[in-house]
């Protein structure tokens, strides 16, 4: 008589119920021997959950059953076979169809209606216990998170983990790298590709000791931990097989915020998010018309933006920068407001400006002509007026915040409602703070003077070694040094192959 012995154990099973491999093997062999088995074939799934039917040893056993290789199948307990009742019934049916007999060590199984009912009930109870364990684990994690403790050590770069208090501690060496990444993004307006290139050039070690890559930079810049908050219960992970799982984002109302030491302030973090979005909007794959100066060119005649317009054969069109008044439908019926400036060939202007920036980088003494006062009274007054309005709005929202806190103390509203409203108000206040900082920076920019030394330093940084720049890196370099390009075509020729002439006024950051 040939006996198939199936043994399965997972780490939790061994810890909680003593279902060790040795125990199951010993008991299964003894049971098979008592029944007269003369040969044993062992199938062992070590470390596999009984929640899924796709297990290596179980698959081998089922293949053997299909070939009718066994007389009896011995298993220590029904939940060793499967935790899922449907899976138990499927495998039991396969055993019966092969002509083998199913036997358990811990319980008596009879192939009768009553025995099958009892077996089914055991399977249902096993599945219920599994769900209870999962629910109890999740409840424990939520309770820990609500106490302000980290549920586990996520090994977040920039922090060390305090096991005693379940909290992160800032690692100053790594935190300095994180602050540098935020500075490169915000102050130097670098994209993730250029930041990783700069860190690798400086020989700064990446989190795992290898070279920096774009995805690592993006994860750091978008990680809320660095502004002082980690959200527990944000994602729900569901296993769909032994090596597969799906991850879903829970509704925001279920997230539990945990305060951790901040490495950058709120304004810096939100400024980085805005810069990332700006970089994304200007990225090559997201631009319908991909030109170096797209978004920077302004009409020198009327001061409005210039945008791309195509002309000629659709298979080989010629692209131009055209004044917005000649392109936008907003000016369709406003003939008097349409600018008469001529269109600018896009490719020619892009290369002219690129070459000019290279020339200035190589010859910084030529920069003096661009170090001019860039004051703009109209724009300055507009920004100041906006700042006053923002201040008034901030006062009103702060009053709302105080009212909600008073209502909570008076028990007019419960803690959950108060927390939800306060979180929304705090987001608005942070947004106002970020906008105020940006407008103040613009105000300082409008009322200050760009020094030749600052321009030279910026040009030297981005235009000294551009030989291997990708097209996206060339665009980023342009936007890192230029605020705008005022241009007007001044030649009077209209022939197809005529050489255009321009007046170009570069405005530097």
């Amino acid at each position: 008589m040939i006996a198939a012995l199936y043994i399965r154990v997972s780490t939790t099973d061994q810890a909680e119920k003593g279902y060790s491999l040795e125990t199951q093997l010993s008991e299964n062999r003894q049971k098979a021997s008592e029944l007269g088995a003369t040969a044993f074939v062992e199938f062992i799934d070590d470390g596999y959950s009984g929640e899924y039917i796709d297990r290596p040893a179980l698959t081998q056993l089922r293949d053997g059953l299909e070939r009718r290789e066994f007389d009896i199948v011995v298993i220590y307990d029904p939940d060793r076979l499967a935790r899922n009742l449907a899976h138990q019934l499927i495998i039991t049916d396969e055993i019966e169809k092969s002509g083998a007999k199913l036997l358990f060590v811990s319980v008596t199984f009879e192939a009768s209606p009553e025995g099958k009912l009892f077996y089914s009930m055991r399977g249902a109870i096993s599945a219920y216990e599994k769900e209870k364990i999962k629910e109890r684990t999740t409840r424990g994690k939520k309770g820990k998170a609500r106490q302000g403790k980290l549920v586990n050590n996520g090994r977040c770069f920039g922090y060390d983990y305090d096991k005693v208090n379940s909290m992160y501690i800032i690692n100053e060496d790594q935190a300095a790298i994180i602050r540098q990444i935020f500075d490169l993004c915000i102050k130097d307006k670098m994209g993730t590709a250029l930041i990783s290139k700069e860190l690798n050039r400086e020989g700064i070690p990446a989190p795992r000791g290898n070279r920096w890559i774009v995805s690592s930079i993006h994860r750091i810049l978008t990680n809320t931990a660095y502004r002082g908050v980690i959200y527990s219960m944000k994602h729900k992970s569901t296993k769909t097989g032994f090596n597969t799982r799906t991850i879903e984002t829970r509704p925001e109302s279920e997230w539990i915020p945990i305060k951790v030491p901040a490495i950058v302030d709120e304004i810096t973090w939100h400024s980085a998010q805005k810069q990332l979005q700006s970089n994304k909007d200007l990225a090559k794959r997201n631009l319908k018309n991909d030109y170096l100066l797209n978004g920077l060119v302004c009409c020198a005649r009327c001061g409005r933006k210039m945008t791309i317009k195509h002309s000629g054969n659709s298979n080989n069109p010629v692209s131009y920068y055209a004044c917005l008044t000649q392109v936008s439908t907003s000016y369709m019926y406003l003939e008097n407001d349409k600018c008469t400036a001529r269109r600018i060939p896009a490719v020619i202007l892009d290369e002219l400006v690129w070459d000019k920036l290279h020339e200035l980088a190589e010859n910084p003494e030529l920069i003096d002509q661009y170090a001019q006062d860039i004051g703009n009274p109209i724009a300055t007054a507009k920004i100041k007026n906006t700042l006053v309005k923002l201040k008034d709005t901030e006062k009103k929202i702060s009053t709302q915040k105080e009212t909600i806190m008073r209502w909570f103390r008076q028990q007019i509203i419960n803690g959950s409602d108060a927390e939800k409203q306060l979180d929304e108000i705090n987001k608005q206040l942070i947004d106002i703070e970020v906008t105020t900082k940006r407008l103040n920076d613009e105000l300082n920019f409008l009322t200050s003077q760009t020094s030749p030394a600052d321009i030279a330093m910026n040009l030297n940084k981005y235009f000294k070694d551009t030989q291997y720049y990708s097209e996206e890196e060339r665009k980023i370099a342009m936007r890192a040094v230029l605020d705008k390009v005022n241009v007007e075509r001044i030649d009077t020729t209209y022939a197809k192959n005529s050489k255009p002439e321009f007046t170009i006024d570069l405005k530097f950051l």
Side-chain angles (χ1 to χ4, degrees), residues 323-341:
C323 182
L324 196 62
T325 63
Q326 301 169 14
V327 178
S328 174
T329 54
S330 301
Y331 297 91
M332 186 179 296
Y333 303 106
L334 302 175
E335 293 296 331
N336 293 334
D337 284 345
K338 281 191 176 182
C339 181
T340 58

Side-chain angles (χ1 to χ4, degrees), residues 81 86-98 100 102 104 109 116 119:
L81 180 61
H87 294 166
Q88 286 185 355
L89 296 177
I90 289 170
I91 300 167
T92 301
D93 187 58
E94 290 177 355
I95 293 171
E96 291 178 351
K97 285 182 178 178
S98 75
L102 173 62
F104 295 108
F109 172 69
K116 289 183 178 180
Y119 178 53

Side-chain angles (χ1 to χ4, degrees), residues 158-187:
Y159 296 99
D160 295 323
Y161 185 64
D162 179 357
K163 290 184 179 180
V164 175
N165 297 306
S166 297
M167 183 49 58
Y168 284 142
I169 302 170
I170 293 178
N171 180 315
E172 289 299 339
D173 292 337
Q174 295 178 359
I177 298 172
I178 290 167
R179 294 185 186 106
Q180 181 181 356
I181 290 172
F182 275 87
D183 283 345
L184 290 172
C185 174
I186 299 166
K187 295 179 181 178

Side-chain angles (χ1 to χ4, degrees), residues 397 400 423-433:
I397 294 175
Q400 292 177 12
D423 188 52
E424 183 61 35
I425 286 175
N426 285 333
K427 287 179 182 178
Q428 293 177 33
L429 290 173
I430 289 169
D431 194 51
I432 289 173
E433 193 173 359

Side-chain angles (χ1 to χ4, degrees), residues 279-494:
N279 292 346
K280 183 179 179 181
D281 293 341
L282 294 169
K284 180 177 180 179
R285 60 183 176 274
N286 294 320
L287 283 177
K288 185 177 180 181
N289 307 307
D290 183 35
Y291 297 93
L292 285 179
L293 294 172
N294 202 0
L296 295 178
V297 183
C298 292
C299 176
R301 181 168 295 186
C302 72
R304 294 184 177 93
K305 287 279 188 181
M306 300 187 84
T307 187
I308 292 293
K309 183 175 177 62
H310 301 290
S311 179
N313 191 314
S314 59
N315 294 323
N316 187 27
V318 178
S319 301
Y320 296 90
Y321 291 109
C323 182
L324 196 62
T325 63
Q326 301 169 14
V327 178
S328 174
T329 54
S330 301
Y331 297 91
M332 186 179 296
Y333 303 106
L334 302 175
E335 293 296 331
N336 293 334
D337 284 345
K338 281 191 176 182
C339 181
T340 58
R342 294 184 65 186
R343 296 177 298 178
I344 312 293
V347 174
I348 294 175
L349 180 63
D350 284 355
E351 292 308 314
L352 275 174
V353 173
W354 182 261
D355 291 343
K356 185 64 178 178
L357 293 175
H358 266 287
E359 181 187 359
L360 293 174
E362 297 293 333
N363 304 279
E365 68 274 6
L366 301 176
I367 295 174
D368 285 351
Q369 61 183 304
Y370 297 99
Q372 53 187 299
D373 195 317
I374 53 174
N376 187 328
I378 297 175
T380 299
K382 186 177 180 181
I383 289 176
K384 287 182 177 179
N385 185 47
T386 303
L387 285 170
V388 170
K389 291 180 179 178
L390 280 173
K391 193 69 176 176
D392 290 340
T393 303
E394 184 180 24
K395 287 181 180 178
K396 292 178 182 177
I397 294 175
S398 296
T399 301
Q400 292 177 12
K401 183 176 180 179
E402 291 173 1
T403 301
I404 290 170
M405 292 175 70
R406 187 175 67 252
W407 286 350
F408 172 66
R409 287 193 296 269
Q410 295 172 350
Q411 298 184 350
I412 297 175
I413 58 175
N414 60 39
S416 177
D417 290 340
E419 185 178 359
K420 186 176 180 180
Q421 292 183 51
L422 288 173
D423 188 52
E424 183 61 35
I425 286 175
N426 285 333
K427 287 179 182 178
Q428 293 177 33
L429 290 173
I430 289 169
D431 194 51
I432 289 173
E433 193 173 359
V434 171
T435 305
T436 300
K437 184 178 182 296
R438 177 178 58 79
L439 290 174
N440 280 321
D441 289 343
E442 289 183 17
L443 193 61
N444 292 333
F445 179 74
L446 287 170
T447 56
S448 64
Q449 194 176 57
T450 306
S451 72
D454 289 339
I455 296 175
M457 183 174 65
N458 222 14
L459 284 169
N460 183 65
K461 184 174 185 178
Y462 290 97
F463 283 87
K464 271 293 187 182
D465 184 20
T466 62
Q467 183 180 359
Y468 300 107
Y469 271 17
S470 65
E471 201 64 22
E472 183 174 352
E473 288 173 329
R474 276 163 48 101
K475 284 186 302 190
I476 292 172
M478 285 281 206
R479 285 159 179 79
V481 300
L482 290 174
D483 177 47
K484 62 182 177 179
V485 178
N486 294 323
V487 62
E488 184 176 7
R489 184 169 178 175
I490 57 174
D491 64 286
T492 57
T493 57
Y494 288 86

